[in-house]
Amino acid sequence: MSESSPLEVHVLASGSKGNCTVIKKGNSVILHDVGISCRRIVNGLKELHIDMAQVEGIFVSHEHSDHIAGLQQLLKRFDIPVYTKQGTWREIQDKLIVPKNRLIELTKGSLTLGSLIVEPFSVSHDAADPIGINVFAGNNKATIVTDTGVISDNILRRIDDTTL
Ligand SMILES: [Zn+2]
């Protein structure tokens, strides 16, 4: 089933009041930013017929509250790893009470979570170490970028060929 299922991108919230995007292919699900309440995220997933237990990772673009507001409660309730940069995680630990061992530090290169291949890249924003992500699944590609100050050539190159 997961071979033929499409790559889906669902925006649960975007803008200064909170950002949260769901990326899904088959049974593989990741979240990009969790800047709305845990309850809104759980309910939003439920409407998409996704259980929190399916979520393989939370990618955090940067530490501003409209991107992490739901993180503390989510990590308290669910055993999900957080994928972000070391600098971002440091800032998050200053703002929220989060289990220290939940970080999976993003470095160069891509990583595979189920049917999804995720490739982080740096963006320009007034935060510690902000990132966007490319998600590849089969022949599909989605690029998630929020809050970037400057669309650099690097970002344009990353968006190039994006089919969603
Ligand atoms: Zn921001």
Side-chain angles (χ1 to χ4, degrees):
M1 174 202 162
S2 79
E3 275 305 304
S4 58
S5 56
L7 177 61
E8 299 172 33
V9 177
H10 302 279
V11 177
L12 297 188
S14 90
S16 59
K17 288 191 177 139
N19 297 272
C20 182
T21 304
V22 182
I23 301 119
K24 175 180 191 285
K25 180 181 166 66
N27 290 322
S28 302
V29 180
I30 60 170
L31 299 177
H32 180 266
D33 287 340
V34 288
I36 53 177
S37 72
C38 177
R39 192 168 53 152
R40 273 185 69 191
I41 293 169
V42 170
N43 288 341
L45 288 175
K46 211 175 275 173
E47 280 177 28
L48 298 167
H49 307 289
I50 298 169
D51 191 86
M52 276 305 295
Q54 273 175 268
V55 177
E56 309 206 29
I58 297 169
F59 285 76
V60 177
S61 66
H62 65 287
E63 68 276 16
H64 293 163
S65 62
D66 53 330
H67 298 262
I68 63 167
L71 189 62
Q72 182 170 320
Q73 188 67 15
L74 276 168
L75 296 186
K76 202 172 148 191
R77 285 186 55 191
F78 304 102
D79 186 20
I80 304 172
V82 177
Y83 294 82
T84 193
K85 302 296 280 261
Q86 185 71 50
T88 303
W89 185 245
R90 212 173 296 130
E91 296 290 327
I92 288 172
Q93 287 178 309
D94 282 347
K95 295 170 184 235
L96 305 176
I97 299 162
V98 290
K100 285 193 166 38
N101 61 359
R102 215 64 80 77
L103 171 70
I104 298 181
E105 187 187 349
L106 291 177
T107 52
K108 276 210 160 61
S110 58
L111 48 134
T112 303
L113 290 98
S115 311
L116 303 170
I117 297 166
V118 184
E119 175 195 67
F121 56 91
S122 292
V123 298
S124 155
H125 187 44
D126 60 340
D129 198 354
I131 55 158
I133 59 170
N134 280 325
V135 183
F136 302 91
N139 292 325
N140 295 122
K141 175 187 175 191
T143 301
I144 319 288
V145 182
T146 58
D147 284 23
T148 190
V150 179
I151 301 288
S152 64
D153 284 349
N154 184 45
I155 294 175
L156 284 178
R157 262 198 308 278
R158 299 293 187 165
I159 295 171
D160 215 26
D161 297 329
T162 295
T163 54
L164 279 171

